[in-house]
Amino acid sequence: MKGIKISAHKELSKDSFTIYNKPKYIYIPLIVGNDTDITVLVKKDDYVCKGEVVARSKGNFSIPLHSSISGTVIGFEEKLHHNGVMVKSILIENDFKERVEEKNDTIEQLSSYSKADFIATLKSAGIIGMGGAGFPTYIKYQTEQPIKTLIINAVECEPYITADYALGIQKVEEILETIDAILEIYKIEHAIIAIKKNNTKLIHAIQKRIGTYVRMEIKTVPNRYPMGWERLLIETVTGKTYQNLPIEVGVVVNNLSTIYAIYEALKNKTPLLERVVTITGDMIKHPTNVLVKIGTPVHEIIESIGGMKRNKDIICIAGGPMMGVALPSDEVIVTADMNAIVVLKEQALEQENTCMRCGKCVEVCPAHIEPVLIKDAYKEKESLKSLHVNRCCECGLCSYICPAKIKVREYVKKAKETLRKGE
Ligand code: SF4
Ligand code: SF4
């Protein structure tokens, strides 16, 4: 069976949901995915409405960044991004008036969108993959190839994270309505909602309402990591494998939170302004899932839910412990692609030992590459060329399993860098 069983710790936050929507300030980091080539559209002292575009990425896949509040641009500050680096950010002071430029009518029939309008709406709403990928969602739909299967990825296999699970339970009807509309707009044969088999509450919530949607089915997947990885998920629920992109086998995959963002964009013409973030870990007093405005400082959210058990000798991880990034503090800002903050007791770093060539990292690697060989050659571009380094999904299983405590994944990430340099 693919993947491995690891401790999930989801019980900490699974059944808890709250809202924090009153930040005094928000920060909009000038970054989309890894792209920092952003045009700023506001200046100090400008008044901005909620939902107004304040910046736009310039690259091939341009996407707007919106203000999630109404208020005044105070200036620009370097703020910690969840990738661990400081990023120039637009600082906006909230006037708590929630003023919008114009009130849009709600759309009754979501399936009334044409393909072109659907893509234009996703694009102008700034919707990106909210499971962590951060890639503009409209690109998946901008295809000449027929889409045969839409997969909703509600697997959330990373330990501790329950944001999709909590949102799914809150918004089942909206999510099903959106899936149905996408099936209609693209004439897609069917949709699969993929959920881990032990997420029974979410499964039951969907089962109760899925009855009239004949082209949709729930498929449960084993409680193993990294079952939510797109390549492994597609193979598990459809039996299909592909070379580069899922569309080669007629598949589009959207994360569950992304589907809800599409709902808001189609139904209310609301851009991506909010998301659910899991705040959890053994150092958080009351772990929970929180609906927050994008741009909210995480330390403020943590305070709003009761704070930390202590603020020394802790480690904050953006994302989960397998794929996430350890941060120097909780001064990080919520972005659309940040799904969790996990705060744990700091543990003494275990000493790396010599590789014993046990091959365990090769056995567990879901990408079927050889992490140990990549580790050995991580600086040698020529040797790396035949090792399929770019197939690595950065799941971290090689580091997790390594008996010598070698941070194998970090070597594989460096190897990717080596290949990228001088491309
Ligand atoms: S090499 Fe990449 S894909 Fe393979 S186990 Fe390590 S992190 Fe996961
Ligand atoms: S799991 Fe660790 S010790 Fe074993 S081969 Fe891989 S890198 Fe070496």
Side-chain angles (χ1 to χ4, degrees), residues 354-361 372 375 398 401-404 406 408:
T354 311
C355 172
M356 53 189 88
R357 321 306 284 182
C358 65
K360 283 190 190 319
C361 55
V372 57
K375 167 186 76 64
C398 47
I401 207 80
C402 177
I406 298 169
V408 192

Side-chain angles (χ1 to χ4, degrees), residues 255-310:
N255 157 271
L256 183 136
S257 288
T258 310
I259 289 286
Y260 183 69
I262 295 176
Y263 170 83
E264 285 291 347
L266 297 181
K267 187 81 174 179
N268 303 315
K269 300 272 181 197
T270 304
L272 183 45
L273 304 180
E274 297 180 333
R275 70 153 301 139
V276 177
V277 180
T278 304
I279 306 284
T280 186
D282 55 10
M283 288 292 102
I284 293 288
K285 281 189 194 158
H286 305 292
T288 187
N289 302 288
V290 196
L291 178 67
V292 292
K293 288 179 184 291
I294 287 166
T296 306
V298 164
H299 70 89
E300 219 176 290
I301 307 170
I302 295 178
E303 282 309 309
S304 79
I305 60 166
M308 294 191 206
K309 290 181 185 167
R310 67 181 192 216

Side-chain angles (χ1 to χ4, degrees), residues 154-334:
V155 176
E156 217 168 34
C157 60
E158 176 82 35
Y160 288 96
I161 306 178
T162 54
D164 284 348
Y165 175 83
L167 179 72
I169 288 169
Q170 300 280 325
K171 302 287 181 188
V172 182
E173 276 161 20
E174 292 85 346
I175 285 162
L176 295 180
E177 187 183 344
T178 311
I179 300 168
D180 189 53
I182 300 173
L183 295 184
E184 198 52 44
I185 295 166
Y186 275 83
K187 305 289 173 242
I188 302 171
E189 289 158 20
H190 85 306
I192 296 169
I193 306 171
I195 310 177
K196 272 207 302 204
K197 67 176 179 204
N198 59 337
N199 279 346
T200 47
K201 205 165 157 187
L202 178 58
I203 294 169
H204 289 156
I206 297 174
Q207 267 168 349
K208 255 168 74 184
R209 294 174 179 85
I210 205 170
T212 53
Y213 296 110
V214 290
R215 286 176 294 177
M216 290 181 212
E217 63 171 325
I218 300 172
K219 276 202 178 173
T220 59
V221 298
N223 186 18
R224 297 174 82 85
Y225 182 83
M227 203 38 87
W229 176 39
E230 200 164 81
R231 200 175 275 277
L232 182 55
L233 180 64
I234 292 173
E235 192 180 345
T236 305
V237 299
T238 69
K240 292 176 182 166
T241 55
Y242 56 92
Q243 205 56 37
N244 299 306
L245 293 170
I247 196 64
E248 292 161 23
V249 287
V251 173
V252 164
V253 182
N254 282 155
N255 157 271
L256 183 136
S257 288
T258 310
I259 289 286
Y260 183 69
I262 295 176
Y263 170 83
E264 285 291 347
L266 297 181
K267 187 81 174 179
N268 303 315
K269 300 272 181 197
T270 304
L272 183 45
L273 304 180
E274 297 180 333
R275 70 153 301 139
V276 177
V277 180
T278 304
I279 306 284
T280 186
D282 55 10
M283 288 292 102
I284 293 288
K285 281 189 194 158
H286 305 292
T288 187
N289 302 288
V290 196
L291 178 67
V292 292
K293 288 179 184 291
I294 287 166
T296 306
V298 164
H299 70 89
E300 219 176 290
I301 307 170
I302 295 178
E303 282 309 309
S304 79
I305 60 166
M308 294 191 206
K309 290 181 185 167
R310 67 181 192 216
N311 47 23
K312 274 199 340 203
D313 305 323
I314 52 166
I315 178 163
C316 291
I317 305 165
M322 297 299 286
M323 293 189 77
V325 175
L327 301 172
S329 76
D330 63 350
E331 294 287 327
V332 62
I333 301 302
V334 173

Side-chain angles (χ1 to χ4, degrees), residues 36-176:
T36 49
D37 195 9
I38 310 277
T39 305
V40 179
L41 303 171
V42 290
K43 58 186 185 320
K44 189 172 180 311
D45 298 329
D46 278 356
Y47 185 81
V48 292
C49 289
K50 179 178 169 179
E52 194 171 324
V53 177
V54 292
R56 187 180 294 279
S57 67
K58 292 185 205 161
N60 287 341
F61 306 123
S62 173
I63 202 100
L65 296 168
H66 303 83
S67 175
S68 58
I69 55 171
S70 61
T72 305
V73 176
I74 299 295
F76 298 85
E77 266 185 35
E78 297 273 317
K79 293 302 279 184
L80 182 61
H81 185 256
H82 65 76
N83 65 8
V85 300
M86 301 300 282
V87 173
K88 185 179 169 188
S89 307
I90 305 172
L91 166 57
I92 304 170
E93 183 173 12
N94 200 348
D95 67 1
F96 300 102
K97 293 191 173 138
E98 301 274 306
R99 204 170 266 157
V100 290
E101 281 176 304
E102 58 179 303
K103 183 129 182 50
N104 295 306
D105 295 334
T106 54
I107 305 294
E108 277 311 310
Q109 193 72 26
L110 298 192
S111 57
S112 62
Y113 282 80
S114 66
K115 281 186 193 176
D117 287 345
F118 176 78
I119 287 172
T121 303
L122 265 51
K123 199 171 178 179
S124 63
I127 295 174
I128 59 169
M130 295 171 78
F135 200 64
T137 302
Y138 74 88
I139 293 160
K140 292 187 175 182
Y141 289 97
Q142 206 167 250
T143 172
E144 294 300 313
Q145 285 166 276
I147 306 172
K148 295 194 177 118
T149 308
L150 173 64
I151 298 177
I152 313 308
N153 187 349
V155 176
E156 217 168 34
C157 60
E158 176 82 35
Y160 288 96
I161 306 178
T162 54
D164 284 348
Y165 175 83
L167 179 72
I169 288 169
Q170 300 280 325
K171 302 287 181 188
V172 182
E173 276 161 20
E174 292 85 346
I175 285 162
L176 295 180

